[in-house]
Amino acid sequence: MLHIFSSTITNRLKYSFDLVFNTILRVPYALITDLSEFEATLGPKLAYHKSPVPDCLFVPATGILFETDIRQQDLSIIDVEGQPAFFGYDHPEASIPFDLFGLVFYLTSRYEEYLPTKRDEHDRYPASQSLAYQGNFLELPLVNIHVRLLRAKLNIRYPDLEVGSSDFRFQPTFDIDYAWTYKHKGLARTIGATLRDMLSGNLKSVKGRISTLTGNQKDPFETYETIFNWHLGLPQLPIFFFLVGKYGKYDKNISPDILSFRELIKGISQKYPIGLHPSYGSHINKNHLIKEQETLSSVTNNQIKMSRQHFLKFRLPETYRQLESIGITHEYSMGYAETVGFRASIATPFKWFDLDNNRVSEMTIHPFQVMDVTLNQYMELSPKAAIKKIHDLVTTTRNVGGEFCSLWHNNSLCFEGPWKGWDNVYPELINACMVE
């Protein structure tokens, strides 16, 4: 067991230590607040304090874990063994020259997202506002990287201390925003869409709609069998998140009142994990969230405990509190729409910390690293460049024993329109994740 000295124990400190030692390093630890008791303790020891303690590792404490408020922090970037860090502390006896646990807390609590900031047109926190983007480490799981540095220090100082490791894991996920292109949309929507296509000169869509509705071709977005076949034999089942909210400007899926849609959801739920894809306005409207969860539960006859926000639209802490209050235990929205990378600078699922209330929740956050729409439409990458970016992110995640979570859509697998030429991108993602 590792014994750790800290003059004070707070919820912030306990959260950070649990994440580092229990979740990532899998090292049993005990906190000691009495210095005399700590000094008399035998075995592996670490002091998290403003000054060193003899005969143990020393990680400097700069203060953030002992605070209760939320304020602008001094985030000057320093270089530590070739990697960016902050909360630097220049002391000759420091085993690590920065407040590692403060850094872990700042990044994973999403501290910066509680501070005043400009939000984008969809009320989302922009990647460009983040320290990771501005510090050029958005594509690095900085938390895992620096925890591995701590692991190396522990192994050198205490070679008999058993420090665990985690294996790379691939978690595929799919958002079903549009179950079908043309089918099951009702007479009014079908006529309206056809007239709009005719007036805009989009005759290809008109022909496609007619061919699909007359049974002469498969609906382009009906790619489910392809998805199922691609994941046969993989160790981790894909998760499907269904949008079942009321029709609106940004919520254009099939109505859950349509029998065919209900049958699709129920059929998939019998073989694969199902999650809720809360509608565009649900991030600040708990009533919408409750109704949509009830709808999906009634279709699957199961409790819905997984969720990812439509448009990746959430506010901290409001949205996560709502999700937690309705029984969501696993949340998958932690990523950016406009660029790939590690939004929370970590490649490991972690508990959400409610910063306003300084408490650890029971809801686990699963960060994702890459989304199809991000690669194609936001970053405007070619399929070849997208594959290269995916391989780089997979390799980075694998190197720290993290979870690589991908976000894809059934409609992006139609390989028509903006997705023409993207046939090999997702299969290459699978190959990257499966090949050692």
Side-chain angles (χ1 to χ4, degrees):
M1 176 178 286
L2 178 66
H3 292 87
I4 301 174
F5 171 72
S6 174
S7 58
T8 306
I9 298 175
T10 67
N11 287 346
R12 291 184 178 190
L13 181 142
K14 189 71 167 56
Y15 170 79
S16 185
F17 279 42
D18 281 348
L19 178 54
V20 170
F21 293 110
N22 290 344
T23 304
I24 301 179
L25 293 180
R26 302 177 184 179
V27 174
Y29 77 94
L31 285 167
I32 299 174
T33 57
D34 183 273
L35 184 56
S36 298
E37 178 186 348
F38 179 75
E39 290 176 330
T41 300
L42 301 178
K45 297 194 292 185
L46 181 150
Y48 181 66
H49 196 47
K50 61 184 179 181
S51 56
V53 176
D55 300 321
C56 68
L57 289 180
F58 167 46
V59 177
T62 58
I64 188 173
L65 298 189
F66 306 115
E67 299 171 354
T68 57
D69 60 344
I70 303 170
R71 61 181 181 83
Q72 292 288 346
Q73 299 282 336
D74 179 7
L75 302 174
S76 301
I77 301 292
I78 61 173
D79 181 276
V80 176
E81 299 192 11
Q83 300 292 348
F86 51 93
F87 294 142
Y89 192 88
D90 187 14
H91 192 289
E93 294 184 46
S95 304
I96 293 175
F98 66 99
D99 185 348
L100 169 63
F101 302 104
L103 176 146
V104 168
F105 179 78
Y106 185 88
L107 294 172
T108 57
S109 70
R110 304 308 303 131
Y111 194 104
E112 62 191 359
E113 298 194 33
Y114 288 78
L115 299 171
T117 186
K118 293 181 180 179
R119 300 180 73 86
D120 74 5
E121 61 180 321
H122 298 295
D123 193 28
R124 299 178 298 199
Y125 179 82
S128 59
Q129 298 288 312
S130 70
L131 178 65
Y133 180 91
Q134 295 171 6
N136 199 33
F137 61 86
L138 184 55
E139 294 186 23
L140 295 175
L142 201 62
V143 167
N144 301 83
I145 289 169
H146 284 312
V147 169
R148 288 170 74 87
L149 172 61
L150 174 62
R151 177 183 177 178
K153 301 289 184 181
L154 287 168
N155 285 336
I156 293 171
R157 183 69 179 261
Y158 305 113
D160 293 333
L161 178 67
E162 292 188 9
V163 182
S165 62
S166 57
D167 295 327
F168 172 81
R169 181 176 181 269
F170 170 43
Q171 180 57 71
T173 70
F174 289 86
D175 288 353
I176 311 301
D177 299 346
Y178 308 95
W180 292 279
T181 322
Y182 305 121
K183 293 167 62 175
H184 310 300
K185 293 193 173 181
L187 186 60
R189 283 182 67 182
T190 299
I191 292 174
T194 303
L195 290 174
R196 284 193 299 273
D197 287 338
M198 292 176 67
L199 291 172
S200 64
N202 189 358
L203 298 182
K204 182 179 179 180
S205 182
V206 174
K207 292 178 181 178
R209 184 175 287 104
I210 293 172
S211 295
T212 300
L213 296 180
T214 55
N216 292 319
Q217 74 170 37
K218 186 178 180 180
D219 190 282
F221 291 176
E222 199 168 9
T223 59
Y224 307 106
E225 288 301 325
T226 299
I227 295 172
F228 303 155
N229 290 334
W230 276 342
H231 294 87
L232 285 174
L234 298 188
Q236 202 64 33
L237 293 174
I239 303 170
F240 292 84
F241 295 93
F242 282 94
L243 176 65
V244 294
K246 186 178 179 181
Y247 182 84
K249 181 179 179 181
Y250 297 105
D251 304 309
K252 296 187 177 181
N253 210 346
I254 307 301
S255 168
D257 295 331
I258 300 295
L259 179 60
S260 296
F261 188 34
R262 297 175 73 89
E263 289 178 341
L264 173 69
I265 296 172
K266 189 168 185 178
I268 292 178
S269 73
Q270 291 172 348
K271 297 181 179 180
Y272 301 94
I274 294 292
L276 181 65
H277 198 36
S279 60
Y280 184 83
S282 68
H283 72 305
I284 54 172
N285 191 317
K286 187 175 178 180
N287 291 333
H288 288 180
L289 194 61
I290 292 172
K291 184 174 181 180
E292 292 163 23
Q293 185 192 41
E294 290 175 348
T295 297
L296 194 56
S297 294
S298 70
V299 174
T300 63
N301 293 320
N302 287 309
Q303 274 190 302
I304 301 300
K305 294 190 174 183
M306 295 185 293
S307 178
R308 176 188 285 126
Q309 292 296 121
H310 190 33
F311 273 69
L312 305 177
K313 187 177 178 182
F314 65 90
R315 273 186 172 271
L316 293 177
E318 297 89 346
T319 307
Y320 277 7
R321 280 184 187 159
Q322 290 181 175
L323 292 167
E324 184 186 21
S325 73
I326 67 166
I328 297 297
T329 56
H330 293 271
E331 216 290 325
Y332 288 80
S333 303
M334 187 56 71
Y336 292 116
E338 70 266 41
T339 190
V340 300
F342 301 84
R343 180 167 176 166
S345 301
I346 187 171
T348 305
F350 60 96
K351 294 293 185 183
W352 173 55
F353 190 89
D354 184 342
L355 192 57
D356 267 351
N357 290 329
N358 280 300
R359 68 171 184 91
V360 184
S361 78
E362 291 302 315
M363 188 168 70
T364 299
I365 306 303
H366 295 258
F368 72 89
Q369 291 81 35
V370 63
M371 178 171 68
D372 49 4
V373 177
T374 303
L375 297 167
N376 186 342
Q377 298 177 14
Y378 284 91
M379 299 178 72
E380 299 182 342
L381 298 181
S382 67
K384 183 178 179 180
I387 291 171
K388 173 64 167 58
K389 182 63 72 175
I390 289 167
H391 274 265
D392 290 346
L393 289 166
V394 170
T395 299
T396 298
T397 306
R398 187 187 299 279
N399 287 343
V400 298
E403 177 180 88
F404 184 80
C405 185
S406 62
L407 194 176
W408 237 250
H409 296 79
N410 61 303
N411 54 292
S412 72
L413 300 176
C414 67
F415 309 131
E416 297 179 0
W419 300 104
K420 187 176 182 180
W422 283 68
D423 310 47
N424 293 328
V425 176
Y426 191 76
E428 280 294 324
L429 185 153
I430 293 177
N431 289 338
C433 290
M434 292 299 103
V435 176
E436 292 290 342

